[in-house]
Structures are given as C-alpha cells and as structure tokens.
Amino acid sequence: QGRMTLEEILAKVDTGAEAREAEKLAAKEPFDVLVVGGGPAGSAAAIYAARKGVRTGLVAERFGGQILDTLAIENFISVKETEGPRLAAGLEEHVKQYNVDIMNLQRAEALSKNDDGLTEIRLANGAVLKSKAVILSTGARWRNMNVPGEQEYKAHGVAYCPHCDGPLFKGKRVAVIGGGNSGVEAAIDLAGIVAHVTLIEFD
C-alpha cells in the first residue's frame, strides 16, 4: 500500500544491517547541531542550521513523521491540498539541497552529556551520536489505547483522525475516546456527519 519505503523493507529483510549501520553511525564526528525528528519542524530546523554553515545532522525514526500516516492535508499554509507522503517527499528533497547528514530509520532512546561537554544521543541500535547542540523536534504520534482489538482493527473501524476519516463513518454510530480539547472537538466535528457520537472520558 506504499506505507513502507524500500529502505524500510530492506532494513527488515537484511538481518545484519542494523549492526553495520550502528558501527557507521558511532564512527561519525560530533555535529555542531543535531536535530532529532524528521517531520516539518525537524526539517525546518535542519535547513536553518545548515544555512548557517554549521555541521548539521538529522536523525529520525521515519523521515516525514506523522504526516506519512495522513492521507489528505489541507491546512498547510500556501499548499491548498496534498497527501502526507507527497509532503514528506518534498520536505526530504528540500533538506537534501543542503549539507545535512540525514540518518533515517534510527530511533533515539536517550540523551545525556559527556565529559567533553557534548550532548550524546543513544540510538535503539546502540550507536551514540555526539553534538555541541541538539534540537528536539520529536513531533506527535497517535495515542494508542492498548486495548484488545485496537491493532487488528486499525484502519478497519479504528481511526485516529476525525477530519480525515470522519466521512467514512457517515450515518454510523461512533465513539470518541478522550474528552480533552481534541476529543471534544472531534466529537463536535463528527456530530455533523455521523448518526450518533458517544464521548468516553477517563477522568
């Protein structure tokens, strides 16, 4: 369905890839600026840093971040309408116009200071990246409820974006989990489309 890039597929198939990649990453010289996150904010941070002529790196679990899971985007100023993967590709193309070391498919797990005063980012594969400054642009992700059936029914009745997926439930009865600002707003938006909304709140 195009939800996984060739790069991601090869990383899963090649069992030795992670260890080789960790070795390469650990050997990198310290950065002046290291951006953690590859969504719109991380991309912008990397571009602005690189334009200043400093040694810039960008490490991301998935370049593009949450927008990769969003089909229709209509609230990105100056772009009337686009799809998430297309916007992510445009962001990556823009970042690559500058001297930015992009380290994709790398999950950052810990941040610490070393004795040299450098900030260290430990990755899930065990590699450690060093930098004089770190910009955290870790963005957002859909919040999972971790209840039975949630993973199995994702995209088959379980949805995370009322604006994107609401029209798919036209005339049906739906439940919104969470009564904070986002939950109430989602319930109000859905009320104009669906037959009935039940709002479920923890607190």
Side-chain angles (χ1 to χ4, degrees):
Q1 295 177 335
R3 283 191 169 273
M4 191 180 286
T5 64
L6 181 60
E7 190 180 15
E8 289 173 286
I9 293 169
L10 290 174
K12 287 180 180 292
V13 173
D14 184 355
T15 53
E18 190 175 43
R20 289 195 306 274
E21 188 65 18
E23 201 174 315
K24 276 172 35 185
L25 291 169
K28 288 183 183 286
E29 291 294 316
F31 294 95
D32 293 318
V33 174
L34 179 62
V35 179
V36 179
S43 299
I47 288 169
Y48 275 91
R51 284 174 62 91
K52 299 295 181 187
V54 298
R55 180 170 153 69
T56 305
L58 183 150
V59 61
E61 189 174 355
R62 275 191 327 159
F63 195 98
Q66 191 179 13
I67 61 172
L68 290 173
D69 301 322
T70 307
L71 184 60
I73 296 175
E74 298 172 342
N75 62 346
F76 195 76
I77 304 306
S78 86
V79 179
K80 284 196 296 185
E81 185 181 342
T82 187
E83 293 91 36
R86 185 186 296 174
L87 179 58
L91 290 171
E92 189 170 8
E93 187 181 337
H94 195 173
V95 173
K96 283 181 174 176
Q97 287 185 343
Y98 296 91
N99 190 19
V100 176
D101 187 347
I102 299 174
M103 295 155 279
N104 195 17
L105 305 181
Q106 302 299 327
R107 181 178 174 81
E109 290 198 332
L111 180 148
S112 61
K113 278 275 192 201
N114 68 16
D115 295 337
D116 298 328
L118 295 172
T119 301
E120 294 185 344
I121 299 289
R122 183 169 49 79
L123 305 178
N125 63 15
V128 174
L129 299 171
K130 301 177 183 72
S131 185
K132 293 176 185 174
V134 171
I135 298 173
L136 298 178
S137 302
T138 51
R141 64 177 71 227
W142 311 121
R143 183 175 172 190
N144 291 308
M145 299 301 303
N146 299 316
V147 296
E150 181 180 20
Q151 294 304 316
E152 294 85 342
Y153 290 103
K154 212 180 255 190
H156 296 283
V158 174
Y160 297 91
C161 179
H163 312 293
C164 312
D165 300 328
L168 301 174
F169 300 98
K170 186 175 182 178
K172 299 187 186 238
R173 298 174 68 84
V174 302
V176 173
I177 315 294
N181 289 353
S182 298
V184 171
E185 184 183 342
I188 292 169
D189 288 348
L190 288 167
I193 303 169
V194 303
H196 184 271
V197 180
T198 300
L199 183 64
I200 301 171
E201 169 56 37
F202 292 96
D203 299 323

